[in-house]
Every structure is written in C-alpha cells, then in structure tokens.
C-alpha cells in the first residue's frame, strides 16, 4: 500500500503555536502529542530513536524547515507531527555554510520500524518536499491560525 501524505497528517498532532525554544523542547513536545494521540507507545524510546537518526546527519532543510524522523519500534501507527514554533529554533543543517539554521516549521516523521519503512518514508518525504517547494505556501503556513487551516494549506493542490 502506498501511503499518501493526507493519510498521515492529523490536527491532533499539529501544533501551530509550539512553545519550545530549543530543538529538544520542540521534539519532546511533539513526541508527547504523538503519545497522547495514540501514535507511539513509548515516549523515551521514540525520542531516543529520533536522536539516533539525528546523529546520522542534519535534518534542517533550509528555508526555516526541519524534517526529523523517528523510525522506531515504539510507533503504533504512522503519522507526521507538525510544530510551528512561536520563535525560531536553532537546528543543525547542511543547507547553509554555518552548520545550523533558524527553524520555524518542524515535520516529524513517525514511521514504523519494518521492512516497508524505506518505501513509505521516501514516498511521504517526496510528497512533503513537493508541498514545501513553494515560498508562497510557506508564507501561508507561517500565518495559519489553527491546525485545521494549516493542514488545509499544506495539503491543497498546486496553486
């Protein structure tokens, strides 16, 4: 089964007013939302798995966007959690010369640790990247008032 981005986005795990001031605060708050929403079974295991992936290379993509991933046995169902931070958060990035960026939009992939991981992850990542390629869409995402509006703007067909 090929997953569609729409299938893994959920207002329950979308926070358009994330309070975190550090990468760790933001990731942990996102993991708490995933736990509360029934997406993961073990908060600490999931966070540990996120950091294991973060150690492999930066997930800051440039343009105020970071896309960390949690491939974990703690995942009960796939989802993409979203945090739009109130203030920019310093995030490791290979997109610039300084090795980090100011992030405002975080898309945390919560994916199953199984044989279909690579295919599902790459397909969803490609779909998300296509949506985030528009500067106009990014500006609208930064201005959304609530999670439902954010997801409507993100998932809208090309303008």
């Amino acid at each position: 089964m090929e997953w569609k981005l729409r299938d893994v986005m959920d207002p329950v795990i979308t926070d358009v007013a994330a309070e975190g001031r550090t990468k760790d605060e933001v990731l942990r708050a996102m993991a708490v939302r995933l736990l509360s929403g029934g997406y993961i079974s073990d908060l600490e295991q999931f966070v540990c798995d996120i950091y294991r992936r973060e150690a492999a290379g930066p997930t800051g993509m440039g343009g105020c966007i970071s896309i960390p991933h949690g491939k974990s046995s703690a995942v009960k169902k796939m989802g993409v959690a979203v945090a739009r931070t109130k203030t920019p958060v310093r995030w490791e990035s290979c997109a610039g010369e300084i090795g980090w960026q100011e992030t405002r939009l975080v898309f945390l992939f919560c994916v199953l640790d199984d044989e279909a991981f690579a295919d599902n992850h790459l397909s969803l990542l490609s779909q998300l990247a296509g949506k985030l390629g528009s500067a106009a869409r990014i500006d609208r995402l930064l201005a959304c008032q609530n999670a439902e509006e954010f997801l409507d703007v993100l998932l809208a067909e090309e303008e």
Side-chain angles (χ1 to χ4, degrees):
M1 172 186 167
E2 182 178 337
W3 289 85
K4 299 291 184 199
L5 192 57
R6 182 173 302 283
D7 299 331
V8 295
M9 304 302 296
D10 181 353
V12 169
I13 55 173
T14 301
D15 183 358
V16 298
E19 298 280 350
R21 293 188 171 278
T22 68
K23 176 180 172 178
D24 188 61
E25 288 174 356
V26 171
L27 288 174
R28 287 186 177 278
M30 295 174 86
V32 166
R33 276 186 177 262
L34 287 163
L35 182 66
S36 297
Y39 284 81
I40 61 173
S41 59
D42 184 324
L43 180 74
E44 291 306 318
Q45 179 63 53
F46 185 70
V47 170
C48 179
D49 291 337
I50 293 168
Y51 278 105
R52 184 174 297 117
R53 167 52 190 90
E54 288 290 300
T59 55
M61 311 311 277
C64 82
I65 299 166
S66 292
I67 308 177
H69 352 302
K71 173 187 174 187
S72 177
S73 60
V75 173
K76 293 167 52 178
K77 63 180 178 179
M78 283 186 16
V80 178
V82 177
R84 185 184 69 200
T85 62
K86 288 185 172 184
T87 58
V89 174
R90 185 179 173 130
W91 208 283
E92 294 85 1
S93 173
C94 58
E97 294 180 14
I98 57 176
W100 61 274
Q101 69 180 43
E102 297 289 328
T103 290
R104 290 280 322 280
L105 297 173
V106 181
F107 296 87
L108 173 58
F109 276 73
C110 170
V111 291
L112 303 165
D113 185 9
D114 66 9
E115 64 280 351
F117 162 74
D119 290 339
N120 287 330
H121 176 253
L122 291 177
S123 173
L124 291 170
L125 186 58
S126 174
Q127 292 171 53
L128 180 61
K131 298 291 187 183
L132 298 176
S134 161
R137 187 186 312 257
I138 298 301
D139 289 344
R140 286 195 307 280
L141 291 172
L142 290 169
C144 289
Q145 299 300 307
N146 57 56
E148 291 79 7
E149 180 187 3
F150 186 97
L151 295 180
D152 286 346
V153 169
L154 178 66
L155 297 171
E157 293 304 316
E158 289 299 317
E159 295 121 35

